[in-house]
Amino acid sequence: MDEVLLRSLTPSVLTVLVRRGADFAAAEDAVQDALVEALRVWAAHPPRDAKGWLVTVAWRKFLDATRADSARRRREDRVEGEPAPGPAPAADDTLQLYFLCAHPSLTPASAVALTLRAVGGLTTRQIAEAYLVPEATMAQRISRAKRTVSGVRFDQPGDVATVLRVLYLVFNEGYSGDVDLAAEAIRLTRQLAARIDHPEVAGLLALMLLHHARRAARTAPDGSLVPLAEQDRGRWDTALIAEGVGILQAALARDRLGEFQAQAAIAALHADARTAEETDWVQIVEWYDELTRLTDNPIVRLNRAVAVGEADGPRAGLAALAALDASLPRYAAVAAYLHEHDGDLATAARLYAEAAHKAPNLAERDHLTRQAARLNARRRR
């Protein structure tokens, strides 16, 4: 059973059901039921047309659920017949579904959460971590979003800003988390950039390309994380870097700065440095100042503290860090790094161990654990 194939087909199947008159919540339930059925029968009887099979089964399950619910029987008069057998259209409806999920009846935060869950394939836990809220809170937000759009016709697409936020979060989860969605996010953002002439769309695409260019160097052969300063820059994809920088320069020239352009500018400065020592940290701090002005995001301020530590020394970085909430994700890891560079190995080792305990994934936990062990070994010498 190819679960990756199932995940890739889900948006298109969901779109077919929505177009045929199913409200979003009922369509999602029907598609999930069809996926469960696929897991049960495909191992022994794989279909020749996977998407067509899923559309047919999901549509049948939707009709069954509709007939069982007296409040929805009127919708049965409007629906067309069961999809005809044979190959389903190969059109990619994923980007359109992102816009449909960003429905005007939802707040931007709820629209993003719903899309990440229903289309992006992320778990409630992963979405909650991205939003810095408890998992129970995010579960309630997603449930409310489903109730809000239940029965609503999806004929009013949402705004570009909400779709960009979804794509950004999907890319981040695919780049650093448990589900590999980075390439899919780039593909969809390329489609969006081809359709919409907007500097922030270009900025997001540039940001994705510049980060993705470093991906091959981010892990060692054993799967362990390699920090940016220690990466083999010869393994960075120079073609992606050149493309990203070119897209960014064209966007910045329009003088309509947004957060994705500012983030891409920071990534471009890292990509421009031939060695870690040549990084222009002063200019990076300036871009973080712009980004803070645009977003006032606590994670941006956390990253800015690292840049300040590099530009003005670790004590300046610690001073910037002191103004932030210690419960922020990766706060302990940043504090450990700055204390190590300030020469306080005992505090740094303790903080690395604390950060490892809170790490969101196994690779990061192992890296932080090794950092703590390295400093403890140095202290014993």
Side-chain angles (χ1 to χ4, degrees):
M1 170 56 57
D2 190 343
E3 294 187 15
V4 174
L5 173 62
L6 284 177
R7 188 187 305 126
S8 69
L9 291 173
T10 298
S12 294
V13 178
L14 188 55
T15 301
V16 171
L17 267 64
V18 169
R19 283 177 171 172
R20 287 180 172 273
D23 67 65
F24 189 89
E28 185 186 13
D29 289 342
V31 173
Q32 292 302 318
D33 288 343
L35 295 178
V36 171
E37 186 74 5
L39 290 170
R40 186 178 69 82
V41 305
W42 280 15
H45 304 287
R48 286 184 293 180
D49 175 21
K51 179 180 174 181
W53 189 98
L54 285 171
V55 167
T56 299
V57 173
W59 188 249
R60 286 173 179 166
K61 290 185 178 296
F62 167 71
L63 291 178
D64 289 343
T66 300
R67 293 187 184 102
D69 188 346
S70 59
R72 297 176 180 173
R73 286 181 180 174
R74 290 192 303 273
R75 187 176 290 109
E76 288 184 301
D77 297 332
R78 297 199 302 267
V79 299
E80 298 174 5
E82 181 178 299
D92 183 357
D93 298 314
T94 307
L95 187 58
Q96 180 182 4
L97 192 55
Y98 272 60
F99 274 96
L100 292 176
C101 287
H103 196 272
S105 64
L106 295 172
T107 65
S110 295
V112 171
L114 178 62
T115 313
L116 289 172
R117 183 70 184 93
V119 188
L122 275 65
T123 66
T124 303
R125 174 185 60 79
Q126 290 168 323
I127 302 169
E129 289 173 352
Y131 270 89
L132 310 180
V133 300
E135 184 174 350
T137 300
M138 183 53 65
Q140 291 175 355
R141 184 180 298 178
I142 294 172
S143 295
R144 285 196 300 269
K146 288 182 178 180
R147 288 196 299 270
T148 299
V149 299
S150 179
V152 171
R153 285 193 62 83
F154 280 73
D155 54 2
Q156 292 180 276
D159 67 339
V160 175
T162 301
V163 174
L164 288 179
R165 178 63 49 189
V166 175
L167 290 168
Y168 174 68
L169 291 173
V170 170
F171 177 81
N172 279 347
E173 192 61 46
Y175 189 69
S176 61
D178 303 321
V179 183
D180 187 2
L181 296 169
E184 173 69 358
I186 291 173
R187 184 182 70 83
L188 293 174
T189 307
R190 284 190 187 279
Q191 288 187 9
L192 187 60
R195 298 181 189 183
I196 300 176
D197 182 19
H198 192 293
E200 273 293 83
V201 176
L204 179 58
L205 179 56
L207 175 63
M208 289 179 175
L209 295 175
L210 289 164
H211 277 300
H212 208 60
R214 302 199 303 258
R215 189 164 191 176
R218 292 183 70 245
T219 55
D222 62 359
S224 59
L225 291 180
V226 180
L228 177 61
E230 301 173 17
Q231 289 178 14
D232 177 2
R233 299 184 179 219
R235 299 185 65 195
W236 290 1
D237 189 327
T238 55
L240 282 183
I241 291 173
E243 182 184 6
V245 169
I247 292 171
L248 173 63
Q249 289 175 337
L252 291 175
R254 301 176 66 173
D255 198 23
R256 291 168 56 192
L257 184 64
E259 62 174 296
F260 295 124
Q261 295 169 72
Q263 288 191 57
I266 293 169
L269 286 167
H270 283 296
D272 187 56
R274 291 177 297 178
T275 65
E277 293 73 23
E278 295 178 66
T279 304
D280 189 345
W281 287 106
V282 172
Q283 193 171 350
I284 287 176
V285 171
E286 292 174 354
W287 276 109
Y288 270 121
D289 289 340
E290 288 285 351
L291 193 53
T292 300
R293 180 182 60 80
L294 290 165
T295 68
D296 196 28
N297 186 302
I299 299 300
V300 170
R301 292 182 181 274
L302 186 69
N303 292 331
R304 179 185 178 277
V306 177
V308 169
E310 298 287 357
D312 301 326
R315 293 194 180 181
L318 287 167
L321 188 66
L324 302 178
D325 186 346
S327 67
L328 285 172
R330 298 183 173 90
Y331 180 100
V334 170
Y337 178 83
L338 292 171
H339 276 291
E340 178 185 354
H341 283 257
D342 194 38
D344 188 351
L345 302 188
T347 300
R350 175 179 59 79
L351 287 168
Y352 275 130
E354 178 184 331
H357 180 71
K358 299 176 180 178
N361 56 67
L362 182 60
E364 190 169 334
R365 186 191 70 188
D366 289 347
H367 169 71
L368 293 166
T369 299
R370 283 193 296 270
Q371 295 293 83
R374 174 179 58 82
L375 292 187
N376 284 326
R378 282 180 59 186
R379 292 172 56 220
R380 289 193 294 268
R381 292 174 188 167

